[in-house]
Amino acid sequence: MSITRTQSRRTFLKSSAAVVAATLVGARSGLAGTKDAPQVTPPLSQFGYGDVELLEGSVREQFDRNHKFYLALDEDSLLKPFRQRAGLPDPGEEMGGWYSWAPLADLDNPGNNGFAPGHSFGQYLSGLARDYAATGDKATQEKVHRLVNGFAPAITPHFWDDNRFPAYTYDKISVGMIDAHEFAGAPQAFKALDAALDSVTKYLPPGPLSRAEQYARPHKDDSFCWDEPYTLPENFFLAWQRGAGSRYKQMGEHYLADSWYWDPLAAGENVLPGKHAYSHVNAMSSAMQAYFVLGNDKYLRAARNGFDFVRSQSFATGGWGPDENFRNPGSGEIGESLTKTHSSFETPCGSYAHFKITRYLLRATKDSRYGDSMERVLYNCILGAKPIKEDGHGFYYSDYNNDGSKFYHPYKWHCCTGTFSQVTADYGISSYFCDDKGVYVNLFIPSRVTWNRGGDRVILTQRTEYPHRPTTQIEVSPDKSATFAIHLRIPEWVGPKTSIAVNGTRLPVVLMPGQFVPIMRTWKKGDRIEVEFDMPTTLEAVDPQHPKLVAAVHGPLALFAVGEIPPAVRSQEMAAVTQVAHGSTNWQVKTASGVISMRPFTTINDEHYRLYLNVEG
């Protein structure tokens, strides 16, 4: 349901509340437990988590570190906020920070501020379920089952009393339960999902209210206006598709923010300025699910246009949203942020939303440029995030300030500790896609994918040190010789010397930057593909209003200056940045006044750095 121009706000709120109540208390569909098919099947399919194995390298290292960290979280502590409100025995220590209950007056207390009690439980559960699907680790599956079984009796309506974010927190619970069911085979997950939805009935906002609409309603303080009901449809639609019942589809339709978000975006109107960055990009995945489930092209147009607006004000790293807000085009506020804030990009949350929407759009359109955008965020943002500390202090913001550094957020167990578990779990499924005719290689990371083609298997093993070395090698191993296509993403930035060879023979193909190139042949075991990328260095201005504030970007890799930095450098000098040695992560710019050291974000630790330099000439 959406607000029409002739419908009053009061009428809308009353009718929305009635629809929610009727949906929630109504009988479940007879289709519950049966998976349902959407209207649109995207042309590219996603591999299962267990179909892709990450091999040795920085991506696998971060995946393993996060898997180990979340597997070690104390289960009683995770369940404590729910058990406390249910009046159940609640052993375990308080986690503190955002996660535990605290008086509303403690909002500014970093130790235990109770900002969003239990908010990330579902995300930790989701990440572990995906980790299990990727690794087959039995201890991970058992932990998922125990958490589901412990949660089901602990979620009651009392949990939502004085809860600032019922939609936000329920949405996380929802993805945790549907992933526990789908990827870890938790038999009680749908029962717990139903219990959660029943418990939150009267607490959910009556419709897909924007923040402005939430401010217009009675509220205890501003923080009670920051809920995110407009992100709900994605997981409602996924729950329906996975067999949770028809009411989840009805709820997904009800919370589509057509009037103020999807309709104007579909018409090409940029309504992002002033909006919270992460949640409104995350909501674009709801538009994609609406497109798949309902078959309405409007939602695809809205998601594509919205993501284009995001990219138009992104930093050279691929990150976006300084101070968690989108800015007005042409205002110069992105460049001005370099001196006004150290909160440039909400890294784990933003990266998770970015990976999701680019996966959806790539599958729907086969446009390889969404893969280009994904890899920017991979190498320049999330892969450089500092590890979570045992006490719950986590990396939150990437800092692109003129005096930048990596730092931990003062509040423990914040939102980015939840999405960090999910984004690293998704590295494998972001790397490859397929259709009935072939495999699409999207990310160039050390990995192995198994494609079940009819009754036969095809294994592709990719070994690479990309992007520090501009090459990748893929070994093809079908069970038996077979004819199919392997599509390689040719990034939009590549130079004319990019080449592809099979078994040492260079292919006479015209490579179109910004497209997948198909290699169709009869493949046999041991065939080898070698790609040599011509990686140019470009200088990217922070925004059109600050053309002399530029970042050096080599291929997909943004380079950060460390150490002594002169007030200005010549553009020719900066464009000539070179690796200290082939494959090295150390770079340098030679200037008339000395050498500037530069490094990618992944290799920066506690030193200060600068992304954008002043150029002259």
Side-chain angles (χ1 to χ4, degrees), residues 43-346:
L44 291 184
S45 298
Q46 190 168 284
F47 281 97
Y49 285 89
D51 294 332
V52 185
E53 178 187 2
L54 301 175
L55 303 179
E56 184 177 355
S58 57
V59 173
R60 176 61 186 261
E61 180 183 346
Q62 191 182 57
F63 171 91
D64 285 343
R65 184 171 62 238
N66 270 4
H67 182 193
K68 180 179 179 182
F69 176 86
Y70 291 105
L71 183 60
L73 290 178
D74 183 80
E75 294 167 27
D76 286 328
S77 295
L78 289 172
L79 291 166
K80 195 176 186 74
F82 306 99
R83 288 170 168 169
Q84 286 173 326
R85 287 299 179 94
L88 297 173
D90 56 287
E93 295 184 4
E94 297 272 5
M95 293 176 68
W98 283 28
Y99 197 84
S100 300
W101 290 104
L104 296 178
D106 282 359
L107 182 59
D108 295 323
N109 179 357
N112 185 30
N113 72 325
F115 184 62
H119 69 106
S120 48
F121 171 82
Q123 293 175 307
Y124 303 150
L125 185 65
S126 166
L128 285 168
R130 298 176 191 192
D131 286 344
Y132 164 70
T135 64
D137 178 66
K138 192 68 177 176
T140 303
Q141 183 189 38
E142 291 170 351
K143 187 181 185 78
V144 169
H145 287 204
R146 289 193 300 270
L147 288 171
V148 170
N149 294 341
F151 174 84
I155 186 65
T156 70
H158 294 299
F159 176 76
W160 306 105
D161 292 336
D162 280 331
N163 192 311
R164 295 180 179 87
F165 313 117
Y168 173 91
T169 304
Y170 168 76
D171 194 39
K172 277 58 178 166
I173 292 170
S174 175
V175 72
M177 294 304 157
I178 62 177
D179 283 356
H181 175 273
E182 183 79 359
F183 304 128
Q188 297 300 312
F190 278 175
K191 178 181 178 181
L193 178 67
D194 284 341
L197 185 53
D198 291 339
S199 75
V200 79
T201 301
K202 67 178 183 180
Y203 298 89
L204 284 176
L209 305 185
S210 66
R211 287 198 173 181
E213 290 170 332
Q214 293 179 75
Y215 270 103
R217 304 178 72 204
H219 52 274
K220 291 184 177 181
D221 61 45
D222 283 1
S223 66
F224 280 81
C225 304
W226 302 340
D227 206 0
E228 300 171 1
Y230 42 86
T231 68
L232 288 168
E234 179 189 17
N235 289 318
F236 276 135
F237 286 136
L238 282 171
W240 170 72
Q241 290 170 73
R242 293 176 182 178
S246 62
R247 67 170 176 167
Y248 291 90
K249 180 184 179 184
Q250 294 167 12
M251 292 291 284
E253 293 179 83
H254 176 73
Y255 279 98
L256 286 169
D258 288 340
S259 63
W260 61 268
Y261 203 31
W262 306 129
D263 288 344
L265 281 180
E269 179 184 349
N270 186 357
V271 292
L272 291 177
K275 289 182 170 56
H276 181 245
Y278 159 65
S279 65
H280 287 83
V281 173
N282 191 35
M284 292 177 190
S285 291
S286 286
M288 291 304 299
Q289 276 297 331
Y291 166 61
F292 295 153
V293 169
L294 306 177
N296 189 335
D297 289 348
K298 173 182 74 176
Y299 296 108
L300 175 60
R301 294 197 308 274
R304 294 184 72 168
N305 291 342
F307 190 71
D308 285 345
F309 293 141
V310 172
R311 291 188 64 188
S312 70
Q313 60 170 267
S314 295
F315 293 99
T317 61
W320 31 264
D323 291 323
E324 302 190 27
N325 285 301
F326 287 117
R327 309 305 176 93
N328 287 307
S331 66
E333 293 180 16
I334 304 298
E336 292 170 5
S337 74
L338 302 181
T339 59
K340 293 183 176 180
T341 185
H342 292 274
S343 307
S344 303
F345 176 51
E346 196 177 356

Side-chain angles (χ1 to χ4, degrees), residues 361-591:
L361 286 168
L362 195 157
R363 290 179 59 205
T365 67
K366 291 190 176 182
D367 189 337
S368 70
R369 291 173 295 180
Y370 294 116
D372 296 355
S373 183
M374 185 188 294
E375 78 170 2
R376 280 261 185 145
V377 169
L378 173 64
Y379 295 117
N380 303 313
C381 300
I382 189 60
L383 204 55
K386 293 171 77 73
I388 304 175
K389 293 183 177 181
E390 288 187 7
D391 67 359
H393 281 100
F395 189 73
Y396 196 118
Y397 293 116
S398 289
D399 178 8
Y400 308 140
N401 189 278
N402 288 343
D403 181 24
S405 64
K406 290 184 177 181
F407 56 90
Y408 284 99
H409 197 277
Y411 295 154
K412 300 189 297 182
W413 304 113
H414 51 68
C415 56
C416 285
T417 66
T419 46
F420 203 4
S421 70
Q422 295 173 293
V423 68
T424 55
D426 287 352
Y427 282 156
I429 64 165
S430 301
S431 302
Y432 302 90
F433 301 91
C434 65
D435 58 18
D436 58 351
K437 297 179 180 178
V439 177
Y440 290 70
V441 180
N442 183 48
L443 294 179
F444 307 114
I445 61 175
S447 52
R448 179 177 294 115
V449 61
T450 300
W451 179 36
N452 291 301
R453 183 174 179 267
D456 300 318
R457 293 184 314 163
V458 177
I459 298 175
L460 273 60
T461 302
Q462 185 174 189
R463 303 188 187 279
T464 182
E465 295 177 48
Y466 178 100
H468 307 300
R469 294 180 186 270
T471 63
T472 192
Q473 297 83 38
I474 301 172
E475 181 178 320
V476 186
S477 297
D479 281 346
K480 59 184 180 182
S481 296
T483 302
F484 56 87
I486 296 176
H487 302 254
L488 303 175
R489 179 174 59 83
I490 304 301
E492 199 169 23
W493 46 258
V494 297
K497 296 180 182 179
T498 300
S499 64
I500 300 173
V502 175
N503 298 332
T505 300
R506 182 169 175 171
L507 298 183
V509 296
V510 178
L511 301 182
M512 299 297 293
Q515 295 184 13
F516 283 104
V517 60
I519 306 175
M520 175 67 78
R521 59 181 283 131
T522 299
W523 300 93
K524 62 183 185 301
K525 190 170 185 177
D527 281 345
R528 188 180 72 257
I529 302 170
E530 296 173 300
V531 186
E532 294 276 350
F533 298 96
D534 181 5
M535 285 191 180
T537 299
T538 57
L539 302 183
E540 296 189 7
V542 65
D543 60 28
Q545 291 70 41
H546 298 83
K548 293 188 177 182
L549 276 176
V550 303
V553 181
H554 183 74
L557 202 61
L559 299 173
F560 293 72
V562 296
E564 294 295 323
I565 304 170
V569 298
R570 295 189 63 79
S571 58
Q572 298 94 324
E573 296 169 339
M574 197 166 170
V577 60
T578 55
Q579 278 178 302
V580 171
H582 188 56
S584 173
T585 57
N586 292 311
W587 294 69
Q588 61 183 18
V589 174
K590 296 180 180 178
T591 74

